[in-house]
Amino acid sequence: MSQISSLTELLRQSGGQFRFFDMGRRVQKFSVEQFEKIENQQTPYPYPYLQHAWVALMVWNPKNKQQGAAWFLKLPLDEQGFLIQAVRDDLLSRLLKNAGGVLQHEQSGEVPDDALKDNPFSFKPDQEKMAIFHAYSTLTSSEPASQYFEHAQQYFAGQIGFDNWQSLGFQGIADLVVRHEKGSNSKVITQAIPHLPDVPFEVLCTCLESIQPDHSLYEALCLRAEQTLTQGTANANHIAALTRGLSSGPTTSRKMALIKQILDTDYALEPEVITAIATRCHECLQEPTLLQVFLEKLAIGESGQTGFSRILSDLMFMPALRALILMQFRNEDRSPELTAAIGAMFGSDFS
């Protein structure tokens, strides 16, 4: 046991199957090899959120897929985005204390569900992320989707009428979206987008942020976004959900134009919308002109100074954005409102 020096090494020796997911800004898979580099401090965590790595570890018995466990870990990162080694060592120690169960579950048919239970770094994901994670976990382990999946398929195929959405389950929509590459699911979603009432469309968007849609699906989403922004009658929650849906696509000129269009409206003054842009579309903010507009709206928005400071603290944790934000802070053309917000965050002598 003393020769085991990493989480991934221990998990490999367990004889079970395991996968890692990021649960921070969205739910997304990342490879075992990538996590191994992260835990050995060979690379910073690629998806930091609020100065932490939000990781889901899924473990299951390949001989009995019903026997498995999932652990949700909120791991602090250092100022350069690397996993703090003492945290990794603590988690490894907890697993090693349960090593008898972890390493022998293939023979026993059991996966210990308490190996990392009640550890100081655990967290409970919100219901939206749990639904997406459950959809990914059943797909990954080749288990059936939830009982709500078939109903969601029928609804999005238009078989029960698009106005009859009240009995839809969030889990069913999550299952459908995560399985978008299976059969005709992507086509079904694509064809439904123009016809969906606001509520099921908003749920769809919150699920779409966690996949990479094909071209046709993303095109349908962009068209609906353009129509919605042109009409200008949607509420802030709807625009925030739409922003989250748009975030899943590639950072193309069209996507950049849509985010710029949102920022140019009063929608961007609403906390829900500006937060959605910051947390889901941060890649777009690497474009200096768009970043400038974002900062100006954030400075005068309804989220106030507290929101300004919290959002920027998170964004400045990302190396790609920190230098760009500091450059904008020193932009002589910044507004008095932005100057005041910067001063309140860093001190009036910031220059």
Side-chain angles (χ1 to χ4, degrees):
M1 287 311 148
S2 60
Q3 296 180 350
I4 297 176
S5 59
S6 72
L7 291 170
T8 46
E9 183 181 358
L10 175 61
L11 290 166
R12 284 193 178 103
Q13 290 194 26
S14 74
Q17 297 292 314
F18 60 98
R19 294 290 185 275
F20 293 99
F21 295 82
D22 174 69
M23 301 285 288
R25 299 169 191 276
R26 54 171 63 91
V27 180
Q28 52 192 328
K29 295 178 289 186
F30 61 100
S31 70
V32 173
E33 292 74 22
Q34 194 173 13
F35 185 81
E36 190 168 28
K37 291 180 179 179
I38 292 166
E39 70 162 320
N40 291 326
Q41 292 190 315
Q42 296 173 346
T43 185
Y45 191 72
Y47 316 111
Y49 180 52
L50 301 176
Q51 291 83 56
H52 285 76
W54 304 72
V55 179
L57 170 57
M58 173 188 169
V59 186
W60 73 97
N61 185 335
K63 293 184 177 180
N64 189 342
K65 296 172 184 176
Q66 298 298 318
Q67 295 174 330
W71 298 302
F72 302 99
L73 305 170
K74 178 185 175 183
L75 308 176
L77 305 172
D78 66 19
E79 63 278 2
Q80 294 181 309
F82 287 91
L83 180 66
I84 296 174
Q85 204 69 17
V87 173
R88 194 287 304 270
D89 293 344
D90 179 83
L91 293 173
L92 181 58
S93 175
R94 290 171 185 273
L95 278 172
L96 285 171
K97 287 179 182 178
N98 292 273
V102 173
L103 294 177
Q104 296 172 16
H105 78 74
E106 183 178 14
Q107 289 76 27
S108 67
E110 297 291 336
V111 176
D113 62 2
D114 62 347
L116 291 177
K117 187 178 180 181
D118 298 327
N119 77 87
F121 308 108
S122 65
F123 76 98
K124 184 178 180 180
D126 61 36
Q127 291 184 341
E128 290 181 1
K129 286 192 174 68
M130 276 301 298
I132 296 292
F133 174 76
H134 184 269
Y136 267 123
S137 64
T138 53
L139 179 63
T140 300
S141 59
S142 301
E143 292 183 72
S146 74
Q147 60 182 319
Y148 308 103
F149 174 52
E150 185 176 354
H151 185 60
Q153 277 186 315
Q154 293 171 349
Y155 172 79
F156 279 85
Q159 295 174 6
I160 58 178
F162 289 113
D163 290 331
N164 299 319
W165 53 266
Q166 292 81 2
S167 60
L168 276 177
F170 192 107
Q171 184 64 63
I173 299 176
D175 287 326
L176 179 64
V177 169
V178 167
R179 288 165 170 76
H180 66 106
E181 295 179 326
K182 301 289 186 180
S184 60
N185 288 340
S186 182
K187 183 178 180 180
V188 165
I189 298 170
T190 300
Q191 292 179 342
I193 284 177
H195 310 290
L196 294 174
D198 286 352
V199 173
F201 179 70
E202 290 168 12
V203 174
L204 174 66
C205 284
T206 60
C207 295
L208 286 174
E209 72 177 11
S210 293
I211 68 161
Q212 294 182 335
D214 61 35
H215 175 76
S216 296
L217 176 52
Y218 196 66
E219 174 70 15
L221 186 63
C222 288
L223 284 173
R224 174 141 182 178
E226 290 164 350
Q227 293 168 359
T228 300
L229 292 170
T230 299
Q231 293 169 356
T233 57
N235 60 35
N237 285 331
H238 189 81
I239 299 300
L242 186 56
T243 302
R244 291 173 64 174
L246 290 169
S247 72
S248 63
T251 305
T252 60
S253 57
R254 186 171 192 186
K255 177 179 175 180
M256 298 282 281
L258 281 167
I259 301 304
K260 175 67 160 55
Q261 190 174 351
I262 294 171
L263 283 169
D264 283 339
T265 67
D266 287 343
Y267 287 124
L269 300 176
E270 301 291 341
E272 302 93 327
V273 177
I274 203 72
T275 300
I277 293 173
T279 57
R280 270 65 172 192
C281 301
H282 50 90
E283 297 94 344
C284 297
L285 299 180
Q286 294 182 37
E287 203 287 309
T289 303
L290 203 151
L291 177 60
Q292 182 180 15
V293 178
F294 169 85
L295 292 173
E296 293 288 353
K297 283 297 177 72
L298 182 60
I300 62 174
E302 297 296 329
S303 56
Q305 183 63 46
T306 299
F308 181 91
S309 298
R310 286 179 177 174
I311 288 173
L312 285 189
S313 293
D314 181 48
L315 290 177
M316 293 179 73
F317 196 75
M318 302 179 192
L321 278 173
R322 181 177 177 83
L324 293 172
I325 291 172
L326 289 174
M327 287 177 61
Q328 289 296 329
F329 281 2
R330 295 183 172 92
N331 186 346
E332 295 181 355
D333 294 330
R334 67 181 186 267
S335 69
E337 291 82 4
L338 179 55
T339 301
I342 295 169
M345 182 176 179
F346 294 100
S348 58
D349 59 346
F350 180 87
S351 60

